[in-house]
Amino acid sequence: MASKKEETKKEAKEKEEVVEEVEEEEAEEEAEEEKEETPLDKYKKAGEVASKIREHLREMAKPGVKALDLCETADKMIAEAGMKPAFPLNVSINNHCAHYTCPWEDELVLDKQDVVKIDVGVQYDGFIADTALTVAFNDVHNDLIKASQEATETAVKVIRVGGYTGKIGDLIENIIEGYGFTTIRDLSGHLLLPYRVHGPKTIPNVSGRKGNLILQDEAYAIETFASTGSGESHSDRTKLYIVRLAEGRFPLRTDAAKQVRRLLDREYHRLPVATRWIYKELGTAKAKMGIRELVQVGAIYQYHVLADVSDAYVSQHEHTVYMTPEGPIKTT
């Protein structure tokens, strides 16, 4: 027969085991809750990081600062947050509308006369935050910047589930033309999908289009541009600094091309990639050779720099929204 002392020890041990079991169950439940992040949770997390980077770069962008420093700062901040880029930081200046990211060893320096568009893309588990702003270093372009800012902010307020994106285009064009500028007619806001920056639905920046039906649980990048120029962007075929792996299978001849394809597929999930990242990973000679072959066989989608007429100035503002029955949730 056991003594009282032995019984007390036994009871204490049983209590410790019960406590340990409860703690293990709670830890498992917490881990399970962490695993069960919703799409909105992921959009919010990506948006929080993208917004922080956007605001940091707003303060960092000054005359005399190298554009490459802005790009590398964005790369570093995304990595430190444990996330990945949805696309390379765009630093599109003056008449450039989009797709300028710094090439390898770029020496471009911001000038006091510049209008600088900073477009940030962050992805968390494939869920994307896309946000942009414009900075200038004198008051000459204040109205140009206000035009795209007001257009974007107003569109964020009015977008609704069950509406059509074309109605938003009417609003955007009216606001920008009210400031005396023109929209960039061939650029638009866009549906965001996992690991896909440009989904099949668009939010036009011009009036007169029906657009697409907006559904619950969709995410959109609302993106507007105001221009002093023609309002039409053209591709500068001499400037290719962003690429993306195209869909399909393509026979490749060289090991360099195969390595570039593998990098774009496995590391970047076929999202847009800066050529400088490829150079850094594989070396300049191999990267150039691989990219050249991929372009030749049509295995790469090319994001040439887009620009309005040479003497134009263009502003841009952008936010990501997640659609709910109660209204949009701005994640950036």
Side-chain angles (χ1 to χ4, degrees), residues 19-237:
V19 170
E20 288 175 356
E21 287 177 0
V22 170
E23 290 176 345
E24 287 175 359
E25 289 174 359
E26 289 176 347
E28 288 174 358
E29 289 174 358
E30 290 175 359
E32 192 64 29
E33 288 175 0
E34 290 177 359
K35 290 178 184 177
E36 292 178 356
E37 289 178 311
T38 66
L40 178 56
D41 292 333
K42 294 178 181 181
Y43 278 120
K44 284 181 174 180
K45 285 187 175 182
E48 182 179 353
V49 173
S51 300
K52 181 178 179 181
I53 294 169
R54 181 194 64 218
E55 296 307 312
H56 181 80
L57 296 181
R58 183 205 296 270
E59 298 301 318
M60 185 177 170
K62 306 289 182 186
V65 170
K66 292 177 66 173
L68 184 58
D69 289 343
L70 298 177
C71 291
E72 291 183 341
T73 296
D75 295 345
K76 182 180 179 182
M77 291 181 71
I78 292 171
E80 287 176 346
M83 298 192 184
K84 292 188 176 182
F87 53 83
L89 182 77
N90 283 207
V91 185
S92 302
I93 297 175
N94 298 336
N95 69 314
H96 286 168
C97 306
H99 299 167
Y100 187 99
T101 195
C102 290
W104 185 249
E105 298 181 341
D106 192 11
E107 294 296 330
L108 178 65
V109 174
L110 305 190
D111 184 81
K112 63 182 180 180
Q113 303 299 327
D114 285 342
V115 173
V116 183
K117 293 162 288 294
I118 296 170
D119 193 349
V120 183
V122 175
Q123 61 100 347
Y124 172 58
D125 197 23
F127 292 83
I128 293 169
D130 188 354
T131 184
L133 57 75
T134 301
V135 295
F137 310 120
N138 57 60
D139 296 335
V140 174
H141 301 292
N142 281 358
D143 282 349
L144 180 69
I145 293 173
K146 286 179 182 177
S148 58
Q149 183 175 11
E150 182 179 328
T152 295
E153 290 177 351
T154 304
V156 168
K157 291 177 183 177
V158 304
I159 189 171
R160 288 293 184 273
V161 170
Y164 281 85
T165 59
K167 291 294 184 181
I168 301 171
D170 296 344
L171 180 72
I172 290 169
E173 185 172 57
N174 287 338
I175 290 173
I176 289 175
E177 288 187 345
Y179 277 90
F181 305 110
T182 182
T183 65
I184 301 294
R185 290 182 285 274
D186 50 340
L187 299 181
S188 61
H190 44 94
L191 180 71
L192 296 166
L193 296 173
Y195 293 110
R196 188 174 175 186
V197 179
H198 288 267
K201 297 183 180 183
T202 62
I203 301 176
N205 284 323
V206 294
S207 61
R209 300 179 185 177
K210 182 178 180 180
N212 306 107
L213 179 65
I214 300 163
L215 301 177
Q216 181 179 335
D217 297 325
E218 289 182 330
Y220 286 89
I222 298 179
E223 179 175 24
T224 72
F225 300 82
S227 176
T228 64
S230 68
E232 294 182 359
S233 69
H234 65 273
S235 295
D236 185 341
R237 309 297 291 186

Side-chain angles (χ1 to χ4, degrees), residues 225-264:
F225 300 82
S227 176
T228 64
S230 68
E232 294 182 359
S233 69
H234 65 273
S235 295
D236 185 341
R237 309 297 291 186
T238 68
K239 294 182 173 66
L240 177 62
Y241 309 133
I242 302 175
V243 297
R244 172 174 59 81
L245 193 61
E247 297 298 327
R249 297 183 64 83
F250 301 85
L252 300 177
R253 181 176 54 85
T254 66
D255 181 62
K258 292 174 184 178
Q259 287 191 46
V260 173
R261 179 177 63 182
R262 191 178 304 116
L263 180 68
L264 299 186

